[in-house]
Amino acid sequence: MSMANGAPSLVVVEQLQVQFFGGAHPVRAVDGVSFDIAEGETVALVGESGCGKSVTAMALAKLVPQPPGHYAGGRVLFGGRDVLAMSERELRALRGREISYIFQEPGSALNPVFTIGYQIEEAIRLHRPEADSRAEALELMRLVGIPEPEQRLRAYPHALSGGQQQRVMIAMAIACRPKLLVADEPTTALDVTIQAQILDLLRDLQKRLGMAMLLITHNLGLVAETAHRVNVMYAGRLVESGATPDVLTSPRHPYTRALLEAVPRLEGAEGRLKAIEGNVPNPAELPAGCKFHPRCPYARERCRVGEPDWEFAATEARGVRCFFWKEISA
Ligand code: SF4
């Protein structure tokens, strides 16, 4: 059962550890991350680039290349099946048929030498050879809101705007009617107004198709109307989790607060965006103690020497990793 809404868990990630080899020491890109996604639920994984959120997302379908990656511990269960123990054959069936991904740059993911129609039909043929790929492609174009779909199917990617290209990528990703759609920074490369339209589309599809979604983003502002629950990551670890309204209205971790202050707003352009002080730490040289202490305005001596544990309050379904969160949020 999911901790969220009583619906069965589709994905369960338990103490996942992913490391990368290359330098003198292994780099702990994901270090003991646990969360779940219920059937039909949207969960967000939020953090700056380099925090481990994309590696976590790739691990759900065992897509981290090995080497240099290495699954150093923990489990990923999809529909109760142990993904990290699956054979190549089982993984091929999982990817694309049950888990689909969309990424930030639709332009680079589409092949410039094939028409849109060919590429969508390929996605359909690959996963559902029994389907009428032409009719399905048209249906998918309509589903993702592309105008004049017959004409657009004959077009090449360069003839489409960035927003339409992302709609095509979404059409290809849902061609197999996945149980989980992983959307990794799906709107980052797009104009702000188009971002809102793509998020509306994803929300609409998620409801209509009843699929679960994992939204990966650095922008906490995007999760407000999209995700049911939020997990905030920093330096390969979860630092806060909870229902979206709770996390947005009463953030407990100083990093979540900083992310909220850094949310770009459409209106009120006079209000300057507050950048988070300092840089994301190099995963190969993480600081001792709380990994956020060099950037944390509340840091004290204790934070420099010891690392806070993950405190999870089942009654509130909220987790936080900070020694002083009660004082800070009082
Ligand atoms: Fe800041 Fe200390 Fe909390 Fe870390 S443990 S987030 S450094 S107050």
Side-chain angles (χ1 to χ4, degrees):
M1 279 288 160
S2 162
M3 289 175 287
N5 51 9
S9 289
L10 178 65
V11 178
V12 179
V13 178
E14 287 173 353
Q15 292 297 321
L16 179 67
Q17 293 186 34
V18 185
Q19 301 181 349
F20 286 89
F21 292 90
H25 306 287
V27 169
R28 298 173 173 199
V30 179
D31 197 6
V33 165
S34 302
F35 66 97
D36 69 325
I37 308 171
E39 286 176 6
E41 184 189 29
T42 297
V43 169
L45 210 47
V46 183
E48 293 162 286
S49 80
C51 70
K53 57 193 194 303
S54 291
V55 177
T56 303
M58 305 271 281
L60 299 189
K62 208 180 175 188
L63 280 169
V64 177
Q66 305 175 79
H70 167 63
Y71 295 96
R75 293 200 303 172
V76 175
L77 301 177
F78 190 93
R81 288 163 294 153
D82 186 345
V83 173
L84 302 182
M86 282 184 183
S87 65
E88 275 308 312
R89 195 158 161 235
E90 289 170 308
L91 286 169
R92 269 199 302 277
L94 178 80
R95 298 167 187 161
R97 205 179 290 169
E98 295 187 88
I99 304 183
S100 275
Y101 288 75
I102 50 170
F103 297 100
Q104 184 173 336
E105 291 284 352
S108 56
L110 289 166
N111 191 327
V113 303
F114 294 112
T115 63
I116 297 298
Y118 179 85
Q119 295 185 60
I120 297 184
E121 286 188 52
E122 263 302 286
I124 297 165
R125 278 194 289 267
L126 190 61
H127 302 294
R128 293 160 60 209
E130 73 291 349
D132 176 347
S133 59
R134 188 74 190 173
E136 283 277 327
L138 259 180
E139 175 60 26
L140 283 166
M141 293 285 272
R142 289 195 190 101
L143 203 56
V144 297
I146 294 186
E148 300 171 335
E150 287 92 347
Q151 247 169 289
R152 291 287 192 280
L153 279 177
R154 290 193 294 273
Y156 288 86
H158 72 265
L160 270 57
S161 66
Q164 287 190 350
Q165 288 179 355
Q166 190 58 296
R167 285 174 191 268
V168 169
M169 290 309 302
I170 294 170
M172 288 165 65
I174 61 169
C176 58
R177 301 286 191 269
K179 292 185 181 135
L180 175 71
L181 178 66
V182 180
D184 191 348
E185 301 278 8
T187 64
T188 303
L190 305 172
D191 292 344
V192 176
T193 44
I194 310 293
Q195 288 190 9
Q197 291 171 15
I198 295 292
L199 280 177
D200 281 348
L201 171 66
L202 287 172
R203 250 194 322 269
D204 177 54
L205 289 173
Q206 186 257 328
K207 279 198 199 116
R208 276 216 255 178
L209 305 178
M211 62 185 179
M213 187 158 77
L214 181 65
L215 175 69
I216 314 282
T217 179
H218 65 283
N219 182 352
L220 202 42
L222 292 189
V223 310
E225 287 167 27
T226 315
H228 302 103
R229 285 188 296 156
V230 181
N231 295 294
V232 181
M233 273 188 88
Y234 190 78
R237 294 157 172 79
L238 285 193
V239 294
E240 179 154 7
S241 74
T244 304
D246 296 342
V247 173
L248 295 189
T249 56
S250 60
R252 290 180 173 173
H253 197 282
Y255 182 57
T256 314
R257 289 170 166 245
L259 282 176
L260 273 170
E261 284 169 6
V263 168
R265 289 182 181 84
L266 265 179
E267 70 282 358
E270 72 279 359
R272 258 171 56 87
L273 194 64
K274 200 170 160 204
I276 305 178
E277 296 277 328
N279 295 318
V280 178
N282 177 348
E285 294 165 12
L286 290 176
C290 170
K291 305 304 168 226
F292 190 55
H293 87 252
R295 304 172 79 189
C296 181
Y298 306 95
R300 300 177 202 175
E301 192 47 35
R302 184 180 176 193
C303 312
R304 286 177 250 282
V305 287
E307 185 163 16
D309 288 332
W310 177 245
E311 289 178 47
F312 188 80
T315 45
E316 306 175 287
R318 287 196 73 172
V320 65
R321 188 191 295 280
C322 170
F323 290 127
F324 301 112
W325 70 266
K326 283 186 187 142
E327 280 174 48
I328 292 165
S329 33

Short mmCIF file of all heavy atoms in Angstrom, two decimals, residues 3 11-17 30-37 43 45 56 74-75 229-233 236-241 310 312 319 321:
data_model
loop_
_atom_site.label_atom_id
_atom_site.label_comp_id
_atom_site.label_asym_id
_atom_site.label_seq_id
_atom_site.Cartn_x
_atom_site.Cartn_y
_atom_site.Cartn_z
N MET A 3 1.88 5.01 1.06
CA MET A 3 1.69 5.82 2.25
C MET A 3 0.79 7.01 1.95
O MET A 3 0.38 7.72 2.83
CB MET A 3 3.03 6.31 2.76
CG MET A 3 3.86 5.20 3.36
SD MET A 3 5.49 5.77 3.85
CE MET A 3 6.30 5.96 2.28
N VAL A 11 5.25 1.82 -7.50
CA VAL A 11 6.71 1.84 -7.38
C VAL A 11 7.08 1.98 -5.91
O VAL A 11 6.50 2.80 -5.19
CB VAL A 11 7.30 3.06 -8.14
CG1 VAL A 11 8.82 3.10 -7.97
CG2 VAL A 11 6.92 3.02 -9.60
N VAL A 12 8.02 1.15 -5.48
CA VAL A 12 8.58 1.30 -4.15
C VAL A 12 10.10 1.34 -4.28
O VAL A 12 10.70 0.41 -4.84
CB VAL A 12 8.18 0.13 -3.22
CG1 VAL A 12 8.81 0.31 -1.83
CG2 VAL A 12 6.66 0.03 -3.09
N VAL A 13 10.69 2.42 -3.83
CA VAL A 13 12.15 2.56 -3.84
C VAL A 13 12.59 2.47 -2.39
O VAL A 13 12.11 3.22 -1.54
CB VAL A 13 12.58 3.92 -4.45
CG1 VAL A 13 14.09 4.09 -4.41
CG2 VAL A 13 12.06 4.05 -5.88
N GLU A 14 13.50 1.52 -2.13
CA GLU A 14 13.93 1.29 -0.73
C GLU A 14 15.43 1.45 -0.62
O GLU A 14 16.19 0.64 -1.20
CB GLU A 14 13.58 -0.14 -0.30
CG GLU A 14 12.11 -0.37 -0.05
CD GLU A 14 11.83 -1.86 0.21
OE1 GLU A 14 12.76 -2.71 0.07
OE2 GLU A 14 10.69 -2.16 0.55
N GLN A 15 15.85 2.47 0.10
CA GLN A 15 17.27 2.64 0.42
C GLN A 15 18.17 2.51 -0.81
O GLN A 15 19.23 1.87 -0.75
CB GLN A 15 17.71 1.62 1.49
CG GLN A 15 17.07 1.86 2.85
CD GLN A 15 17.49 3.21 3.43
OE1 GLN A 15 18.63 3.63 3.30
NE2 GLN A 15 16.54 3.91 4.02
N LEU A 16 17.75 3.10 -1.90
CA LEU A 16 18.50 2.97 -3.16
C LEU A 16 19.86 3.68 -3.07
O LEU A 16 19.95 4.82 -2.60
CB LEU A 16 17.68 3.58 -4.30
CG LEU A 16 18.35 3.55 -5.68
CD1 LEU A 16 18.48 2.12 -6.19
CD2 LEU A 16 17.56 4.39 -6.68
N GLN A 17 20.88 2.98 -3.53
CA GLN A 17 22.22 3.58 -3.59
C GLN A 17 22.79 3.36 -4.98
O GLN A 17 22.88 2.22 -5.44
CB GLN A 17 23.16 2.92 -2.60
CG GLN A 17 22.79 3.19 -1.15
CD GLN A 17 23.83 2.62 -0.22
OE1 GLN A 17 25.01 2.61 -0.53
NE2 GLN A 17 23.38 2.12 0.92
N VAL A 30 23.37 8.65 -5.56
CA VAL A 30 22.11 8.43 -4.84
C VAL A 30 22.48 7.62 -3.60
O VAL A 30 23.10 6.55 -3.72
CB VAL A 30 21.09 7.65 -5.72
CG1 VAL A 30 19.80 7.41 -4.95
CG2 VAL A 30 20.81 8.42 -7.01
N ASP A 31 22.12 8.13 -2.43
CA ASP A 31 22.66 7.54 -1.21
C ASP A 31 21.56 7.24 -0.20
O ASP A 31 21.27 8.03 0.69
CB ASP A 31 23.68 8.53 -0.62
CG ASP A 31 24.59 7.85 0.38
OD1 ASP A 31 24.51 6.62 0.54
OD2 ASP A 31 25.37 8.56 1.04
N GLY A 32 20.89 6.10 -0.40
CA GLY A 32 19.88 5.69 0.57
C GLY A 32 18.54 6.38 0.40
O GLY A 32 17.94 6.80 1.38
N VAL A 33 18.07 6.46 -0.84
CA VAL A 33 16.80 7.15 -1.11
C VAL A 33 15.63 6.17 -1.08
O VAL A 33 15.70 5.09 -1.67
CB VAL A 33 16.87 7.87 -2.49
CG1 VAL A 33 15.48 8.26 -2.97
CG2 VAL A 33 17.75 9.10 -2.39
N SER A 34 14.58 6.54 -0.36
CA SER A 34 13.36 5.71 -0.29
C SER A 34 12.13 6.58 -0.56
O SER A 34 12.02 7.67 0.02
CB SER A 34 13.19 5.10 1.11
OG SER A 34 14.30 4.31 1.45
N PHE A 35 11.26 6.11 -1.42
CA PHE A 35 9.96 6.77 -1.61
C PHE A 35 9.06 5.81 -2.38
O PHE A 35 9.52 4.75 -2.82
CB PHE A 35 10.09 8.11 -2.37
CG PHE A 35 10.56 7.99 -3.79
CD1 PHE A 35 9.66 7.99 -4.85
CD2 PHE A 35 11.92 7.89 -4.07
CE1 PHE A 35 10.10 7.88 -6.16
CE2 PHE A 35 12.37 7.78 -5.38
CZ PHE A 35 11.45 7.78 -6.42
N ASP A 36 7.80 6.14 -2.49
CA ASP A 36 6.91 5.28 -3.27
C ASP A 36 5.99 6.12 -4.13
O ASP A 36 5.85 7.33 -3.92
CB ASP A 36 6.10 4.33 -2.36
CG ASP A 36 5.09 5.08 -1.52
OD1 ASP A 36 5.38 6.21 -1.10
OD2 ASP A 36 4.00 4.55 -1.28
N ILE A 37 5.41 5.48 -5.13
CA ILE A 37 4.44 6.14 -6.01
C ILE A 37 3.24 5.21 -6.11
O ILE A 37 3.39 4.03 -6.48
CB ILE A 37 5.02 6.38 -7.43
CG1 ILE A 37 6.38 7.09 -7.38
CG2 ILE A 37 4.02 7.16 -8.29
CD1 ILE A 37 7.09 7.14 -8.73
N VAL A 43 4.02 12.10 -8.30
CA VAL A 43 5.01 12.40 -7.26
C VAL A 43 6.11 13.23 -7.90
O VAL A 43 6.53 12.95 -9.02
CB VAL A 43 5.58 11.08 -6.67
CG1 VAL A 43 6.79 11.35 -5.79
CG2 VAL A 43 4.50 10.36 -5.87
N LEU A 45 10.03 14.86 -7.74
CA LEU A 45 11.38 14.75 -7.17
C LEU A 45 12.05 16.07 -7.52
O LEU A 45 12.23 16.38 -8.70
CB LEU A 45 12.08 13.57 -7.86
CG LEU A 45 13.12 12.76 -7.12
CD1 LEU A 45 12.68 12.37 -5.74
CD2 LEU A 45 13.48 11.52 -7.93
N THR A 56 18.18 8.83 -9.92
CA THR A 56 17.14 8.06 -9.23
C THR A 56 16.05 7.66 -10.23
O THR A 56 15.60 6.51 -10.25
CB THR A 56 16.50 8.93 -8.11
OG1 THR A 56 17.53 9.34 -7.23
CG2 THR A 56 15.44 8.16 -7.35
N GLY A 74 20.08 -1.39 -1.93
CA GLY A 74 18.67 -1.02 -1.97
C GLY A 74 17.90 -1.76 -3.05
O GLY A 74 18.45 -2.61 -3.76
N ARG A 75 16.61 -1.43 -3.15
CA ARG A 75 15.74 -2.12 -4.12
C ARG A 75 14.82 -1.14 -4.81
O ARG A 75 14.47 -0.08 -4.27
CB ARG A 75 14.83 -3.12 -3.39
CG ARG A 75 15.54 -4.27 -2.78
CD ARG A 75 14.59 -5.43 -2.54
NE ARG A 75 13.44 -5.08 -1.71
CZ ARG A 75 12.42 -5.90 -1.50
NH1 ARG A 75 12.39 -7.10 -2.06
NH2 ARG A 75 11.41 -5.54 -0.73
N ARG A 229 2.39 14.54 -4.17
CA ARG A 229 3.42 14.53 -3.11
C ARG A 229 4.75 14.98 -3.68
O ARG A 229 5.01 14.83 -4.88
CB ARG A 229 3.57 13.12 -2.53
CG ARG A 229 2.42 12.75 -1.61
CD ARG A 229 2.70 11.44 -0.90
NE ARG A 229 2.77 10.34 -1.85
CZ ARG A 229 3.43 9.21 -1.63
NH1 ARG A 229 4.08 9.05 -0.50
NH2 ARG A 229 3.43 8.26 -2.53
N VAL A 230 5.59 15.50 -2.79
CA VAL A 230 6.89 16.03 -3.19
C VAL A 230 7.99 15.37 -2.37
O VAL A 230 7.85 15.18 -1.17
CB VAL A 230 6.97 17.56 -2.90
CG1 VAL A 230 8.30 18.12 -3.34
CG2 VAL A 230 5.85 18.29 -3.57
N ASN A 231 9.09 15.05 -3.06
CA ASN A 231 10.32 14.62 -2.38
C ASN A 231 11.40 15.60 -2.79
O ASN A 231 11.62 15.82 -3.98
CB ASN A 231 10.74 13.22 -2.84
CG ASN A 231 9.73 12.17 -2.45
OD1 ASN A 231 9.54 11.91 -1.27
ND2 ASN A 231 9.07 11.59 -3.43
N VAL A 232 12.07 16.19 -1.81
CA VAL A 232 13.14 17.14 -2.10
C VAL A 232 14.48 16.43 -1.88
O VAL A 232 14.68 15.80 -0.84
CB VAL A 232 13.04 18.38 -1.19
CG1 VAL A 232 14.14 19.38 -1.53
CG2 VAL A 232 11.67 19.03 -1.33
N MET A 233 15.36 16.54 -2.88
CA MET A 233 16.66 15.86 -2.80
C MET A 233 17.79 16.85 -2.72
O MET A 233 17.76 17.90 -3.36
CB MET A 233 16.88 14.99 -4.05
CG MET A 233 16.31 13.61 -3.94
SD MET A 233 16.80 12.58 -5.36
CE MET A 233 18.36 11.90 -4.78
N GLY A 236 22.26 13.75 -3.18
CA GLY A 236 22.00 12.31 -3.25
C GLY A 236 21.08 11.76 -2.18
O GLY A 236 20.86 10.55 -2.12
N ARG A 237 20.57 12.62 -1.31
CA ARG A 237 19.70 12.15 -0.23
C ARG A 237 18.36 12.89 -0.27
O ARG A 237 18.29 14.02 -0.75
CB ARG A 237 20.32 12.44 1.13
CG ARG A 237 21.57 11.69 1.42
CD ARG A 237 22.35 12.45 2.47
NE ARG A 237 23.49 11.71 2.97
CZ ARG A 237 24.65 11.59 2.32
NH1 ARG A 237 24.80 12.14 1.13
NH2 ARG A 237 25.64 10.90 2.83
N LEU A 238 17.34 12.26 0.31
CA LEU A 238 16.09 12.99 0.52
C LEU A 238 16.28 13.89 1.73
O LEU A 238 16.81 13.45 2.75
CB LEU A 238 14.93 12.04 0.80
CG LEU A 238 14.34 11.25 -0.34
CD1 LEU A 238 13.02 10.63 0.11
CD2 LEU A 238 14.12 12.10 -1.58
N VAL A 239 15.84 15.15 1.62
CA VAL A 239 15.91 16.04 2.79
C VAL A 239 14.52 16.43 3.29
O VAL A 239 14.38 16.87 4.41
CB VAL A 239 16.77 17.30 2.53
CG1 VAL A 239 18.23 16.91 2.31
CG2 VAL A 239 16.24 18.13 1.38
N GLU A 240 13.52 16.28 2.43
CA GLU A 240 12.16 16.55 2.89
C GLU A 240 11.17 15.82 1.99
O GLU A 240 11.40 15.67 0.79
CB GLU A 240 11.86 18.07 2.87
CG GLU A 240 10.44 18.37 3.32
CD GLU A 240 10.23 19.77 3.91
OE1 GLU A 240 11.16 20.58 3.87
OE2 GLU A 240 9.13 20.01 4.43
N SER A 241 10.05 15.38 2.58
CA SER A 241 8.99 14.79 1.77
C SER A 241 7.65 15.06 2.43
O SER A 241 7.59 15.28 3.64
CB SER A 241 9.19 13.28 1.60
OG SER A 241 8.87 12.62 2.80
N TRP A 310 17.08 10.78 8.96
CA TRP A 310 15.79 10.99 8.30
C TRP A 310 14.71 10.74 9.34
O TRP A 310 14.59 9.64 9.86
CB TRP A 310 15.68 10.03 7.12
CG TRP A 310 14.39 10.06 6.35
CD1 TRP A 310 13.48 9.05 6.26
CD2 TRP A 310 13.90 11.12 5.54
NE1 TRP A 310 12.45 9.44 5.46
CE2 TRP A 310 12.68 10.70 4.99
CE3 TRP A 310 14.37 12.40 5.22
CZ2 TRP A 310 11.91 11.49 4.15
CZ3 TRP A 310 13.61 13.18 4.37
CH2 TRP A 310 12.40 12.73 3.84
N PHE A 312 10.83 10.44 9.96
CA PHE A 312 9.57 10.32 9.22
C PHE A 312 8.41 10.23 10.20
O PHE A 312 8.41 9.36 11.08
CB PHE A 312 9.59 9.11 8.29
CG PHE A 312 8.40 9.06 7.39
CD1 PHE A 312 8.36 9.84 6.24
CD2 PHE A 312 7.31 8.27 7.70
CE1 PHE A 312 7.25 9.84 5.41
CE2 PHE A 312 6.18 8.26 6.88
CZ PHE A 312 6.16 9.04 5.73
N GLY A 319 8.45 13.67 5.98
CA GLY A 319 9.81 13.34 6.39
C GLY A 319 10.70 14.56 6.28
O GLY A 319 10.47 15.44 5.44
N ARG A 321 15.11 15.86 7.09
CA ARG A 321 16.45 15.53 7.56
C ARG A 321 17.14 16.84 7.98
O ARG A 321 17.81 17.49 7.17
CB ARG A 321 17.24 14.86 6.42
CG ARG A 321 18.59 14.28 6.82
CD ARG A 321 19.39 13.89 5.59
NE ARG A 321 18.78 12.81 4.84
CZ ARG A 321 18.88 11.52 5.15
NH1 ARG A 321 19.57 11.15 6.18
NH2 ARG A 321 18.29 10.61 4.40
#
